[in-house]
Amino acid sequence: MGKYVCCTGLLKNTWDQVCIAFWQRYPNPYSNHVLTEDIIFRDVTPSNCLISRRLLTKTSRAPRWMEPYLPKHMTNSAYIIEDSVVDPQKRTMTTLTWNISHARLMSVEERCLYQMNPENGSWTEIKREAWISSSLYGLSRAIQEFGLARFKNSVTKTMKGFEYVLSRMQGETPSRTLAETATERARETALAAKEKAKDLASHAQKKQYV
């Protein structure tokens, strides 16, 4: 049996804003692993739903113990198919993603439902489900645990990426930028203090031998 995980996230933005941000997610500071995105198919149904299929190329560094089971050219990249259906009448967006590279080693299928939060119509709720499985004999359990841990980490980055893009859309300074600025200033201050300490120490040593 594979692993199943279900979680719910909340974005304090309207459903329309989140849908627009969905198509503008890349690039953002939390998605450096996404290399390319290509639209394979897109159409509007008679019921006015937008259906799309995209191919995503991502860096996907495999752990060392897994590398012997992968072709060399596939140890650092992964290809993902993403299907989506946007229903403007029901105000829902449903996405289904799955990997098409090294799927025998580990298969990850994710289904997301974006809809208005029932308690606050100005917010958007994201219900996320994932199925993780492996058919590699003897290592399937370890691989599934690895996939589960990576998926949970990916969810956190995805939500932060959404928040970054939404803030940028609204003309705000994304929190990531503020954090990076503060970190950079802290590094500069620490570096200056370190150089000053070296200088003081150097002078102190000279005085000892004068």
Side-chain angles (χ1 to χ4, degrees), residues 9-147:
L10 188 66
L11 291 170
K12 295 182 179 180
N13 299 86
T14 66
W15 180 82
D16 299 84
Q17 291 171 334
V18 171
C19 283
I20 294 173
F22 177 83
W23 302 110
Q24 300 180 14
R25 285 183 299 169
Y26 311 123
N28 72 70
Y30 300 94
S31 67
N32 294 327
H33 63 296
V34 179
L35 303 178
T36 63
E37 52 176 332
D38 298 284
I39 298 174
I40 300 175
F41 174 80
R42 177 164 287 170
D43 197 8
V44 177
T45 68
S47 58
N48 207 32
C49 291
L50 175 67
I51 56 175
S52 305
R53 170 167 287 188
R54 297 196 298 175
L55 173 66
L56 306 177
T57 307
K58 301 182 179 182
T59 57
S60 180
R61 179 68 181 181
R64 291 188 181 277
W65 58 266
M66 195 184 292
E67 289 183 358
Y69 302 95
L70 294 171
K72 290 184 178 180
H73 68 283
M74 295 175 63
T75 56
N76 296 318
S77 63
Y79 298 99
I80 313 294
I81 293 292
E82 174 195 84
D83 284 351
S84 61
V85 180
V86 181
D87 190 331
Q89 296 182 344
K90 295 182 179 179
R91 301 185 75 75
T92 62
M93 177 170 63
T94 306
T95 64
L96 180 64
T97 60
W98 68 95
N99 59 302
I100 57 175
S101 55
H102 36 83
R104 181 184 175 188
L105 180 66
M106 182 173 68
S107 173
V108 181
E109 295 184 17
E110 179 186 21
R111 181 181 184 274
C112 294
L113 175 62
Y114 300 76
Q115 59 186 354
M116 288 191 299
N117 178 261
E119 298 179 0
N120 188 330
S122 298
W123 293 356
T124 304
E125 183 178 280
I126 306 173
K127 181 182 178 182
R128 195 181 306 270
E129 296 177 282
W131 296 263
I132 303 166
S133 61
S134 173
S135 59
L136 190 62
Y137 180 76
L139 290 174
S140 60
R141 180 173 295 182
I143 292 173
Q144 289 168 13
E145 290 293 344
F146 165 78

Side-chain angles (χ1 to χ4, degrees), residues 7-11 28-31 33 110 126 128 148-164 175-176:
C7 58
T8 302
L10 188 66
L11 291 170
N28 72 70
Y30 300 94
S31 67
H33 63 296
E110 179 186 21
I126 306 173
R128 195 181 306 270
L148 181 61
R150 174 171 283 189
F151 173 79
K152 290 179 179 179
N153 182 58
S154 175
V155 170
T156 301
K157 289 184 178 180
T158 298
M159 294 300 289
K160 288 182 177 180
F162 256 121
E163 292 169 354
Y164 179 92
S175 58
R176 170 75 177 192

